[in-house]
Amino acid sequence: MADAMTETDRFTKEREGMVEFQIRSRGIRDERVLAAMRKIPRHLFVPKGLERAAYEDRPLPIGEGQTISQPYIVAVMTENLELQPESRVLEIGAGSGYQAAILAELAGSVVSIERLDSLAGRARGNLARAGITSVRIVIGDGTEGYPPGAPYDAIIITAASPSIPQPLIDQLAEGGRLIAPIGPKDCQDLVKLVKRDGRVETTSLGGVCFVPLIGEFGWSGEDL
Ligand code: SAH
């Protein structure tokens, strides 16, 4: 069957559709972001049995009550980080490792913190299967940041917090960008913070719904 589509071809085609109809059509213009999302095989970052849903326009469960974000939200957050090839990036909430893989395509170095051992292990495995070796997954409470790699040009929090953890603001470089969902536990405001002359400016990018950030400067486990 010369014209049979392999599974890999099918995923590639679905990924192109995802970029055109979910992401570009909604206003994402940064060609580097679009190229990264066209390249990274998202189906390698979802649990077994959910691969066929990997390119759908929604978040998916990744175990432990956590989720891999909707592709469009990954694109919005990534575009707003304004990454350069030499950027140093910190992610809080590695989850599946998918967002970290996209960041690794666009930046110089990526550290991603995950509080759950099981997910950190899975993120490492997923990244290895996708051939990505430049992400460092660290187990711990990301609300405290990761001082050994500071300052960071960009920080992305992929879990919801009542406010922006101060240690992360402190670890942001001058001119750096931080993106985070801030607000109540169910749904939040996606906030962009820029540090200029030692001061912070914040703008809102719209409404989102993320799982909670649990830690010293986020929600306490007992609040949930
Ligand atoms: N970025 C991920 C999705 C993240 S889901 C992806 O691309 O798949 C949110 C993740 O944040 C979960 O894995 C959760 O365990 C983690 N998390 C919650 N609080 C955290 C904290 N204080 N530090 C690090 N990770 C945290």
Side-chain angles (χ1 to χ4, degrees):
M1 288 220 303
D3 61 350
M5 225 192 198
T6 65
E7 187 158 67
T8 309
D9 292 341
R10 194 168 55 235
F11 283 136
T12 302
K13 205 156 170 271
E14 284 183 10
R15 199 152 60 241
E16 282 166 6
M18 170 189 89
V19 169
E20 292 309 311
F21 306 121
Q22 299 173 31
I23 299 176
R24 193 195 293 277
S25 66
R26 288 189 179 125
I28 302 296
R29 292 283 172 265
D30 187 331
E31 290 297 334
R32 291 185 67 225
V33 173
L34 296 169
M37 297 203 59
R38 208 178 291 116
K39 179 171 170 190
I40 299 296
R42 181 169 161 100
H43 61 277
L44 297 183
F45 293 85
V46 303
K48 274 200 179 48
L50 282 181
E51 292 93 341
R52 291 293 187 87
Y55 299 101
E56 291 178 6
D57 192 13
R58 60 185 174 111
L60 291 170
I62 54 171
E64 312 283 359
Q66 308 302 316
T67 53
I68 176 176
S69 300
Q70 179 190 9
Y72 171 65
I73 296 297
V74 172
V76 169
M77 294 178 87
T78 305
E79 184 173 61
N80 277 285
L81 289 174
E82 300 167 30
L83 301 176
Q84 300 301 322
E86 67 283 358
S87 297
R88 299 155 64 94
V89 186
L90 177 67
E91 178 187 29
I92 317 303
S96 68
Y98 176 69
Q99 172 74 70
I102 298 290
L103 299 172
E105 271 300 301
L106 300 170
S109 70
V110 179
V111 174
S112 182
I113 310 180
E114 172 54 54
R115 71 181 272 271
L116 299 174
D117 291 17
S118 58
L119 287 181
R122 239 175 282 163
R124 287 185 182 124
N126 293 343
L127 288 160
R129 282 195 301 155
I132 294 160
T133 54
S134 56
V135 174
R136 175 131 187 256
I137 303 282
V138 175
I139 298 171
D141 176 8
T143 69
E144 308 204 13
Y146 186 65
Y152 300 96
D153 303 303
I155 299 180
I156 172 171
I157 312 179
T158 63
S161 186
S163 60
I164 301 175
Q166 187 61 41
L168 299 180
I169 300 175
D170 295 341
Q171 290 171 36
L172 192 62
E174 174 60 30
R177 289 79 54 199
L178 180 154
I179 311 287
I182 302 299
K185 263 169 248 152
D186 45 355
C187 288
Q188 311 82 26
D189 200 19
L190 190 60
V191 169
K192 176 173 186 172
L193 176 153
V194 180
K195 204 185 229 185
R196 276 205 192 96
D197 303 324
R199 299 177 47 153
V200 295
E201 295 165 10
T202 58
T203 50
S204 166
L205 303 175
V208 288
C209 303
F210 275 76
V211 295
L213 180 75
I214 300 167
E216 181 67 26
F217 298 88
W219 294 103
S220 96
E222 288 116 53
D223 294 334
L224 304 172

